[in-house]
Amino acid sequence: MKIMYILTALLTISLCGCATMTGTGKNGEKLLWKNGFRQTDRAVLNKDITIFARLPNVADGTKVKITISEVTTKKETPLVYELESVVKHGKVKALWHVKYDMDDETDLGFGENYEQPSYVFCVSYEDKTSGVSTPVRLFCDLYMKLDFPGRVLTDYPYCLRLADGSTRQGKTNKDGLIIEKEIPVGAVRRLF
């Protein structure tokens, strides 16, 4: 009986996890963020992400406006980006070159006060607006060169403190580069 309860709980958690990756609009629209052919909840700064929407009962050739908004708990107006596309076979696809405009990195904070940037999108067409997609969180790739005057620091150990308070450790490559993929956007501190 206990094993059955655990299996049921795991199945429920995994189904809920899948459901969080799609948004269903009030008119039956299906809104997804995709990386290639796969659904995703992660966007990487300065790379493309696909916005996909299934719009039932919308005629082919209908022009749509896609509005991408930053999700924020702050009182200021969130950043907004707009794209245009056309319905084809009841679907809309658009590429968004992921960007994040910030005036000051300090607002991304460190540790407990850190709020990782995330985005949602909706689609407007024929005086209607779809529901809102689920959020996609923003990450970035880090390339940092460690050098000492006249010397490249090859295979040199490092530890980084990331904006969300987590740490990453590793060693520099043969060119003295720290390369970390998909870290939370924000300030990075080298601890050693």
Side-chain angles (χ1 to χ4, degrees):
M1 188 69 159
K2 194 173 192 178
I3 292 174
M4 184 62 123
Y5 175 75
I6 292 170
L7 289 174
T8 304
L10 288 174
L11 180 61
T12 304
I13 290 168
S14 66
L15 288 174
C16 289
C18 291
T20 62
M21 295 175 75
T22 63
T24 304
K26 55 191 168 198
N27 298 317
E29 307 96 345
K30 187 173 186 178
L31 308 172
L32 305 170
W33 295 98
K34 289 188 172 186
N35 185 357
F37 295 108
R38 303 179 108 172
Q39 295 178 32
T40 188
D41 63 351
R42 301 166 75 90
V44 180
L45 188 63
N46 297 321
K47 294 190 178 180
D48 291 338
I49 189 168
T50 302
I51 291 170
F52 174 85
R54 183 170 289 127
L55 303 173
N57 307 318
V58 178
D60 283 0
T62 302
K63 292 182 181 182
V64 300
K65 180 173 78 172
I66 300 166
T67 304
I68 304 162
S69 304
E70 182 183 7
V71 177
T72 182
T73 58
K74 299 173 185 165
K75 293 182 181 181
E76 63 207 38
T77 306
L79 297 171
V80 174
Y81 304 96
E82 292 183 347
L83 303 171
E84 291 184 359
S85 191
V86 176
V87 176
K88 186 174 182 181
H89 305 297
K91 300 173 189 169
V92 171
K93 284 173 78 173
L95 279 181
W96 178 45
H97 188 73
V98 180
K99 47 189 162 178
Y100 183 71
D101 300 324
M102 62 180 159
D103 296 329
D104 184 4
E105 280 191 29
T106 58
D107 69 316
L108 291 176
F110 258 113
E112 290 179 23
N113 296 325
Y114 174 74
E115 183 180 338
Q116 186 173 13
S118 60
Y119 294 92
V120 294
F121 75 89
C122 65
V123 181
S124 300
Y125 57 95
E126 300 174 341
D127 297 326
K128 297 178 186 170
T129 301
S130 72
V132 177
S133 72
T134 56
V136 65
R137 294 173 299 139
L138 186 58
F139 293 85
C140 65
D141 293 339
L142 173 72
Y143 300 90
M144 180 188 297
K145 183 155 186 155
L146 290 186
D147 57 4
F148 193 73
R151 188 173 145 210
V152 175
L153 298 176
T154 300
D155 206 29
Y156 191 81
Y158 66 84
C159 181
L160 304 174
R161 183 170 180 224
L162 307 180
D164 66 354
S166 65
T167 59
R168 295 248 183 125
Q169 295 182 8
K171 291 185 178 184
T172 58
N173 69 9
K174 63 181 176 72
D175 300 317
L177 282 172
I178 294 174
I179 300 174
E180 290 289 342
K181 300 288 188 174
E182 295 191 19
I183 65 171
V185 168
V188 175
R189 291 187 184 141
R190 188 166 62 89
L191 302 177
F192 66 81

